[in-house]
Amino acid sequence: MTTAPAHRRFMTRRQAVHVALFDGLPLALLLAVVPLTWPWLRPGLYELGASLVLWLVSCLGITVGYHRLFTHRAFQCGRGVKLALGIAGSLAAAGPVIAWAATHRKHHQSSDAEGDPHSPNLAGSGWRGKWRGFLHAQFGWLVGHDLPSPLTHTRDLLADPAALWVNGRYFAIVLGGIVAPALLVQLWEPGWRSFLTALVWAGFVRVMVVHQIISSVNSVCHLFGSRPYATKEQSRNNALLALPTVGESWHNNHHRHPSSAYIGLRWWQIDLGGWLVSALKRTSLIWNVIDARGRKSETRSSKPEASGAEN
Ligand SMILES: [Zn+2]
Ligand SMILES: [Zn+2]
């Protein structure tokens, strides 16, 4: 019988393998293999274009699918849209959707306090403490946190057939997203060189860069930026990260209105995820969309609204 400590050890090992595959291996390829094989593995327009497309699809999948839909229930939709958004989010290789949602709900429950899986604000004061906190929130937490129990935090998703379907096929989807560009390029440029170049750049390196972009919301957006809402944690709005994070970096807005399907709340706050929400709403593919954009700015309020998720 699996005991709790044994299960914890098993999950810690799985986390370590995940980080080794999707962060360690790409870094090794970049630092060692690519310089040794340059210019044989030099990325061309195809690799850069495929990386760009997969960044957009996977980051939109994370923000609109994993985050706004599965975690916060910011809108409702049919099974097809749910599966499409879940698959798109899985392409980021940031973890299976149910584990991701459980971790993120834990973050909202105990933001910047004991129990927050990736706070940068618990490692001491001063610049040294902030630096240690940043390293933890950007990198270290990936192998250094207990995975919150799905039974406690995501009971609703465990009863959702679409969430279970996507969750169960996580590794197949990630592998598909890494290998697909390398197979696709064979149609017009067959050979090992094109296969490996696409595999390295549009596959592994793209995944590593997307991981860093996602982690920057946990680290930078709890350290640097403006705080129009005086929420209880240290969340910030960071305009510089708005484009790469496809809207997630208006993080102070999000902690104030966690159930809103829109994270950019002003017309100038670029929120590509919000644009996708609008497009899906206009075509009636999603409905009952929660929208905090029209609400008055309660700049001094410190009480966040309910997240719309089961905690
Ligand atoms: Zn946060
Ligand atoms: Zn959230």
Side-chain angles (χ1 to χ4, degrees), residues 6 9 29 54 70 101 151 193 198-199 217-218 268-269 287:
R9 275 199 301 277
L29 287 168
L54 281 162
F70 288 105
L151 275 175
R193 183 180 167 279
L199 191 74
V217 178
N218 306 332
W268 48 269
Q269 293 179 338
W287 54 89

Side-chain angles (χ1 to χ4, degrees), residues 39-50:
W40 200 70
L41 280 185
R42 183 171 51 195
L45 271 183
Y46 171 76
E47 288 75 24
L48 297 175

Side-chain angles (χ1 to χ4, degrees), residues 9-300:
R9 275 199 301 277
F10 170 74
M11 293 312 292
T12 305
R13 269 202 302 274
R14 272 190 74 145
Q15 280 179 293
V17 170
H18 195 277
V19 170
L21 272 178
F22 303 124
D23 295 285
L25 180 60
L27 194 64
L29 287 168
L30 263 186
L31 294 179
V33 180
V34 171
L36 287 175
T37 55
W38 196 269
W40 200 70
L41 280 185
R42 183 171 51 195
L45 271 183
Y46 171 76
E47 288 75 24
L48 297 175
S51 302
L52 206 64
V53 168
L54 281 162
W55 153 74
L56 187 61
V57 171
S58 60
C59 283
L60 285 174
I62 286 286
T63 185
V64 179
Y66 270 40
H67 191 198
R68 305 182 203 199
L69 171 63
F70 288 105
T71 305
H72 292 297
R73 303 283 176 196
F75 57 85
Q76 286 179 286
C77 62
R79 183 176 162 85
V81 172
K82 213 181 244 190
L83 290 176
L85 290 173
I87 290 169
S90 300
L91 289 172
V97 63
I98 295 179
W100 196 98
T103 304
H104 190 69
R105 286 177 183 179
K106 187 93 198 301
H107 168 62
H108 277 275
Q109 211 174 51
S110 48
S111 310
D112 286 326
E114 187 69 35
D116 186 339
H118 44 59
S119 171
N121 292 307
L122 302 174
S125 55
W127 279 104
R128 199 170 284 189
K130 295 285 178 213
W131 176 242
R132 274 201 305 265
F134 169 79
L135 291 178
H136 167 72
Q138 187 72 27
F139 309 103
W141 81 278
L142 287 168
V143 286
H145 76 284
D146 277 342
L147 287 173
S149 164
L151 275 175
T152 309
H153 296 276
T154 48
R155 212 174 263 276
D156 55 329
L157 296 182
L158 292 174
D160 181 337
L164 287 172
W165 192 94
V166 172
N167 202 72
R169 285 155 186 81
Y170 169 70
F171 280 105
I173 297 167
V174 170
L175 195 66
I178 287 174
V179 175
L183 292 177
L184 204 61
V185 74
Q186 299 306 304
L187 293 176
W188 62 89
E189 197 186 328
W192 277 110
R193 183 180 167 279
S194 62
F195 182 86
L196 290 174
T197 308
L199 191 74
V200 168
W201 292 99
F204 287 104
V205 174
R206 181 263 310 170
V207 162
M208 184 182 72
V209 171
V210 166
H211 275 194
Q212 296 313 311
I213 289 170
I214 294 170
S215 277
S216 71
V217 178
N218 306 332
S219 61
V220 177
C221 297
H222 273 259
L223 285 172
F224 306 108
S226 63
R227 283 179 49 75
Y229 300 107
T231 51
K232 66 182 168 72
E233 74 309 304
Q234 288 301 311
S235 61
R236 316 268 166 164
N237 282 349
N238 190 300
L240 293 175
L241 288 172
L243 193 57
T245 63
V246 297
E248 282 283 319
S249 72
W250 307 111
H251 200 52
N252 180 244
N253 292 355
H254 174 61
H255 272 279
R256 178 63 188 87
H257 297 290
S259 62
S260 174
Y262 296 90
I263 297 180
L265 299 179
R266 305 284 173 267
W267 66 267
W268 48 269
Q269 293 179 338
I270 295 170
D271 177 9
L272 297 188
W275 296 0
L276 176 60
V277 167
S278 290
L280 292 171
K281 189 181 168 190
R282 219 168 287 135
T283 47
S284 301
L285 285 168
I286 65 173
W287 54 89
N288 291 344
V289 178
I290 301 171
D291 184 353
R293 290 174 305 173
R295 295 181 201 166
K296 273 199 156 40
S297 170
E298 313 111 65
T299 52
R300 301 322 305 166

